[in-house]
Amino acid sequence: MVMKSSAVLAFCLVPLLMPAQEFAPISVGDTIYTANRPVPPLGSSNTYAAVLSGKGIYTPFNFGNSSDLQPGPYTWTKTGANTGTLVLSGAQSPSRHELVFTANGQGTYRETVASTGAVITGDFLMAAMPNGPPPPLANLSTRTTLSSGRSAILGFVVEGQTSRRVVLRAIGPTLAQFGVANPVANPALTVFRGVAQIGANTGWGGSTDLAAAFAAAGAFTLSATSRDSALVLTLEPGNYTAHARADTAGEVLLEVYFAD
């Protein structure tokens, strides 16, 4: 009878001695992070998502509000078996996400917005990128209606450890060939790294070197006499913005092509 009781006691103690399951990953690179915001901050949607690259850069997607969303660096710190901290940095709205995993790739989070101190809580999902890491970005573009004297801005990041050759264009007059009404007549293009201007052009001038760069990047051709603007720059890794500005109102297309 004593031996039987001892065996039952030992069986009952086994679950208590088993280690807790560990859900927090060591790395979150090449994943999609999606946060459900029951009470979103003013001007934001109920869902926030970001692609976290394996190179420490995140690309945000705020469904329902696509303005002022620029890529930036992130850091991930595993703080426990089922906890970790994801810090999303950048020029727009840096935030700190404290995650508690309740299963693989899911759990609850507490977000603190650095600019306002606002705290948001909710549920999150974290899933591996379909088909592995995404291919290198080849092109960004945005078309918008400019008010007189105002700028359109397109942010982009040069990743990695080496410089890249980038084609940048502000298209106005050529838009008329595609049936766009009221294009701006003479857009000015400027490029910034932070607050430092690193390039500018008004009227690309039909340069044969620029025309060859357009063709190599897969960009549509421009008339040699058009007043569209363009630049080819070799940019070091970092965050950049391209600006298109015009003295008169109208439609403009702002483009960034990664040529190599």
Side-chain angles (χ1 to χ4, degrees):
M1 184 67 178
V2 174
M3 292 181 61
K4 183 176 180 181
S5 299
S6 298
V8 171
L9 179 60
F11 176 78
C12 293
L13 288 175
V14 168
L16 299 178
L17 299 176
M18 292 178 63
Q21 193 161 359
E22 189 166 332
F23 295 122
I26 296 175
S27 170
V28 297
D30 297 324
T31 63
I32 300 175
Y33 172 67
T34 304
N36 176 41
R37 294 167 156 177
V39 182
L42 185 64
S44 299
S45 69
N46 289 84
T47 303
Y48 173 84
V51 175
L52 309 176
S53 80
K55 298 179 180 179
I57 300 294
Y58 77 98
T59 303
F61 298 93
N62 192 3
F63 303 140
N65 181 6
S66 59
S67 62
D68 294 332
L69 295 174
Q70 297 184 16
Y74 75 85
T75 57
W76 165 254
T77 304
K78 180 175 178 176
T79 57
N82 295 303
T83 58
T85 301
L86 177 65
V87 178
L88 304 176
S89 303
Q92 297 305 318
S93 183
S95 60
R96 175 187 179 92
H97 297 241
E98 298 174 14
L99 309 185
V100 177
F101 289 80
T102 56
N104 282 323
Q106 60 182 304
T108 60
Y109 76 96
R110 174 186 172 91
E111 174 187 357
T112 303
V113 181
S115 59
T116 64
V119 174
I120 307 161
T121 60
D123 302 324
F124 75 87
L125 293 174
M126 190 174 286
M129 286 289 296
N131 303 317
L137 181 65
N139 168 242
L140 290 169
S141 65
T142 183
R143 178 184 146 193
T144 190
T145 302
L146 284 182
S147 300
S148 177
R150 301 297 296 272
S151 296
I153 301 174
L154 184 60
F156 61 98
V157 175
V158 176
E159 294 186 337
Q161 304 298 318
T162 59
S163 299
R164 296 191 68 178
R165 189 165 175 259
V166 181
V167 179
L168 307 106
R169 309 199 303 181
I171 308 298
T174 299
L175 292 179
Q177 300 179 14
F178 300 98
V180 177
N182 192 35
V184 296
N186 190 13
L189 173 66
T190 52
V191 183
F192 291 82
R193 183 173 187 179
V195 297
Q197 180 177 311
I198 59 173
N201 175 253
T202 302
W204 75 289
S207 161
T208 55
D209 289 341
L210 283 175
F214 300 163
F220 57 84
T221 58
L222 302 178
S223 166
T225 58
S226 81
R227 297 299 296 169
D228 306 294
S229 297
L231 288 167
V232 176
L233 300 173
T234 299
L235 302 179
E236 298 176 348
N239 298 341
Y240 298 87
T241 55
H243 299 236
R245 184 181 177 91
D247 295 330
T248 58
E251 297 291 311
V252 68
L253 177 68
L254 188 54
E255 301 179 302
V256 176
Y257 293 87
F258 291 90
D260 56 18

